[in-house]
Amino acid sequence: MITYVATYRRRMRPKVLAKIHELAAGKPVVFLTSRAETRRWLEHVAADRPERSRWR
């Protein structure tokens, strides 16, 4: 398990990114790399959507 975590960026990340690009096929893909960036993106997305009674 430690080996997987230690080598993720080098071994798995390129495969995961390739699969994302393959499946995205013209759809917008957002890569968020920090909690602050995620919070700002969610606030932006929420501001662009009509208000809902609850998240689904």
Side-chain angles (χ1 to χ4, degrees), residues 1 3 6 10-14 16 18-19 21-22 27 30 32-33 35 37-39 46 53:
M1 180 63 147
T3 302
R10 182 171 41 93
R11 296 174 107 186
M12 291 303 296
R13 188 171 189 264
V16 170
K19 195 64 166 177
H21 288 291
E22 173 190 331
K27 297 176 191 91
V30 179
L32 305 168
T33 59
R35 289 182 182 193
E37 188 177 15
T38 302
R39 181 183 42 78
S53 60

Side-chain angles (χ1 to χ4, degrees), residues 36-50:
E37 188 177 15
T38 302
R39 181 183 42 78
R40 286 190 301 270
W41 184 80
L42 287 171
E43 288 170 355
H44 173 76
V45 170
D48 289 347
R49 297 186 70 170

